[in-house]
Amino acid sequence: MKLILPMSLIATTLAIAPVRFDREKVFRVKPQDEKQADIIKDLAKANELDFWYPSATHHVAANMTVDFRVSEKESQTIQSALDQNNMHYEILIHDLQEEIEKQFDVKEDIPGRHSYAKYNNWEKIVAWTEKMMDKHPEMVSRIKIGSTVENNPLYVLKIGEKNEKRKAIFMDCGIHAREWVSPAFCQWFVYQATKTYGRNKIMTKLLDRMNFYILPVFNVDGYIWSWTKNRMWRKNRSKNQNSKCIGTDLNRNFNASWNSISDTKNPCAENYRGSAPESEKETKAVTDFIRSHLNEIKVYITFHSYSQMLLFPYGYTSKLPPNHDVLAKVAKIGTDALSTRYETRYIYGPIKSTIYPTSGSSLDWAYDLGIKYTFAFELRDKGKYGFLLPESQIKPTCRETMLAVKFIAKYILKHTS
């Protein structure tokens, strides 16, 4: 399928050279007390720090592991400040550009064939959605649920009975553009579900009784930008009124305590919430689709990276959801299953106490809408590569995550009406 772009957009895109990250560094700092946490916050005000974990300055707290990217020019200043204040730190990545190039460490098996061991750009993913429909016409259908701000289609793949309405799980990947292992998992899930149906006992049982709605790339425009112009891009590509800064963090744009964290108000921030709840076309398309299928959807799962966590509500309050014990039980089932393959350890718990407070997240929104099983995976790794997980880790990551999803789905099938 050919994607036709307006000439003005093509001209603008061609005029911008891809960003390079030569000799940029990623630091990991563990502030021992609030004074040291404040030093990091002060450094962020005076320097351009790209926070990898947590996602923004205001989340930084004592005894928290903090990962951030810094330019070559500013790295010496940062290092000196950390040394002067006797702060414990390590440099995770010494040359970011080098790591970006090294992440493509798997050779294509057969040129032209869709590879599940490699990262695939948007063009390849679109072609793959068509291939899946053609190969499994009885099991896979493609639904266009909307378009992005740059007029790219938002496709959901439905796996299961085409016309029958039954219990369903909605899964989305790639809400943050730079988290490439996330869309890789959604592709792997569709591939394995269709390939193992009739062969694998659990998958066969699940697909005989449930449907899966898979959104392989939520933030299509941002994903394209991360491939073509800026590997570290996170937000979507919408223009912001009265600001030169582009993009909204789609995972702060949902109507779930949207207004509660003041630091998400800045359009130039990586976690900018947007001008209003559901202001973004991508968010609106997903919320409209889920609302219209609410009688079917029993589970919502969203996939992110990195940090090896399985999260559930809430992010915007310390209050535990009414079915907290059940969510914790299901999360334990999922993380236990995941660890059986390669002994990869995940922690689990409510967003706010396990990772950091968030407002406007898709997870909390889906829960408050009435979907009582909502989870967010933070996939591999724990920071050695961060967002630049090498391709050689795609398959292991997908295999172990597949086990977790299957066991979660199996529990839901048994325990929901």
Side-chain angles (χ1 to χ4, degrees):
M1 177 186 155
K2 287 183 180 174
L3 299 176
I4 299 165
L5 296 171
M7 286 308 292
S8 59
L9 184 62
I10 292 169
T12 309
T13 306
L14 291 176
I16 302 167
V19 177
R20 288 190 62 85
F21 300 91
D22 297 290
R23 291 169 295 284
E24 294 203 359
K25 291 178 170 51
V26 176
F27 284 81
R28 169 164 284 180
V29 187
K30 191 157 189 181
Q32 301 301 303
D33 51 35
E34 285 306 327
K35 186 187 170 190
Q36 290 195 348
D38 287 340
I39 289 166
I40 296 175
K41 290 175 184 178
D42 290 341
L43 286 171
K45 285 174 192 167
N47 303 271
E48 276 193 48
L49 305 187
D50 171 21
F51 281 86
W52 284 22
Y53 184 92
S55 64
T57 329
H58 63 270
H59 297 313
V60 174
N63 300 310
M64 173 187 263
T65 299
V66 180
D67 299 346
F68 57 81
R69 170 175 68 89
V70 64
S71 69
E72 180 191 13
K73 191 175 71 177
E74 293 176 326
S75 63
Q76 199 53 55
T77 311
I78 298 295
Q79 210 163 335
S80 299
L82 296 173
D83 287 333
Q84 282 166 18
N85 289 283
N86 298 314
M87 292 175 72
H88 176 73
Y89 70 91
E90 61 180 307
I91 299 172
L92 295 175
I93 295 173
H94 288 267
D95 187 330
L96 190 63
Q97 188 62 37
E98 216 172 81
E99 289 301 325
I100 287 170
E101 285 156 18
K102 273 161 57 178
Q103 75 177 130
F104 298 104
D105 64 347
V106 169
K107 287 191 171 72
E108 274 189 89
D109 301 335
I110 301 166
R113 178 185 286 186
H114 192 82
S115 175
Y116 296 95
K118 291 190 68 61
Y119 292 119
N120 294 298
N121 64 22
W122 174 239
E123 200 177 298
K124 285 182 180 174
I125 292 171
V126 171
W128 165 81
T129 63
E130 292 175 357
K131 179 187 166 187
M132 284 290 118
M133 286 191 300
D134 293 344
K135 201 171 179 184
H136 307 279
E138 298 307 309
M139 195 186 290
V140 180
S141 52
R142 188 176 75 177
I143 307 157
K144 185 183 174 185
I145 65 165
S147 299
T148 67
V149 71
E150 292 183 350
N151 212 28
N152 287 302
L154 288 165
Y155 288 132
V156 162
L157 292 180
K158 180 181 180 182
I159 310 169
E161 285 286 335
K162 273 196 173 178
N163 301 313
E164 194 179 330
K165 287 197 173 182
R166 48 191 187 171
K167 288 180 194 177
I169 294 178
F170 184 96
M171 301 187 343
D172 65 56
C173 291
I175 197 168
H176 291 142
R178 62 189 176 186
E179 300 169 8
W180 284 7
V181 73
S182 166
F185 174 72
C186 269
Q187 293 163 67
W188 177 266
F189 181 88
V190 174
Y191 166 60
Q192 285 296 315
T194 52
K195 182 186 172 186
T196 62
Y197 178 73
R199 298 186 213 172
N200 176 277
K201 192 178 172 184
I202 296 176
M203 188 52 77
T204 304
K205 187 178 180 180
L206 291 174
L207 288 172
D208 278 342
R209 303 185 191 180
M210 300 179 92
N211 290 326
F212 287 84
Y213 293 108
I214 316 290
L215 177 61
V217 185
F218 192 130
N219 179 8
V220 175
D221 297 345
Y223 187 67
I224 293 169
W225 197 257
S226 73
W227 272 84
T228 57
K229 299 297 171 188
N230 183 342
R231 176 64 186 86
M232 290 296 109
W233 192 260
R234 170 183 165 97
K235 302 189 280 184
N236 76 348
R237 294 292 303 163
S238 62
K239 288 178 180 169
N240 295 312
Q241 213 172 355
N242 303 320
S243 174
K244 288 180 181 174
C245 296
I246 298 287
T248 288
D249 181 343
L250 296 174
N251 202 38
R252 300 292 181 273
N253 191 235
F254 286 78
N255 196 5
S257 197
W258 176 81
N259 203 24
S260 65
I261 297 180
S262 60
D263 282 23
T264 61
K265 289 178 182 175
N266 177 6
C268 297
E270 289 290 350
N271 63 342
Y272 175 54
R273 67 192 184 190
S275 58
E278 299 182 23
S279 60
E280 305 308 294
K281 288 181 74 177
E282 298 89 342
T283 317
K284 189 77 173 76
V286 170
T287 54
D288 284 351
F289 181 84
I290 290 176
R291 283 190 197 101
S292 67
H293 292 78
L294 198 52
N295 59 334
E296 298 167 57
I297 296 171
K298 305 298 176 188
V299 188
Y300 170 82
I301 309 177
T302 181
F303 295 87
H304 294 249
S305 73
Y306 60 95
S307 62
Q308 293 175 200
M309 295 178 180
L310 183 50
L311 306 167
F312 48 83
Y314 281 110
Y316 65 78
T317 176
S318 300
K319 189 182 81 174
L320 298 176
N323 66 336
H324 167 82
D325 291 349
V326 178
L327 290 172
K329 181 183 177 180
V330 177
K332 185 180 189 310
I333 289 168
T335 54
D336 285 352
L338 186 149
S339 69
T340 59
R341 188 75 195 243
Y342 303 102
E343 298 185 0
T344 308
R345 299 291 164 202
Y346 272 54
I347 60 170
Y348 62 87
I351 305 168
K352 188 171 182 180
S353 58
T354 309
I355 189 165
Y356 44 73
T358 59
S359 58
S361 75
S362 65
L363 188 67
D364 285 349
W365 171 82
Y367 185 85
D368 286 344
L369 188 68
I371 300 168
K372 292 308 170 196
Y373 295 91
T374 66
F375 299 96
F377 279 85
E378 291 282 352
L379 300 174
R380 289 192 192 186
D381 61 359
K382 294 195 117 179
K384 182 182 178 183
Y385 299 106
F387 302 120
L388 304 175
L389 195 72
E391 288 179 327
S392 52
Q393 288 199 39
I394 292 175
K395 279 192 175 181
T397 302
C398 290
R399 286 189 187 114
E400 66 193 10
T401 310
M402 190 77 180
L403 283 171
V405 172
K406 279 161 71 171
F407 275 83
I408 290 170
K410 189 181 169 190
Y411 180 93
I412 304 307
L413 186 62
K414 189 177 177 182
H415 294 91
T416 59
S417 53

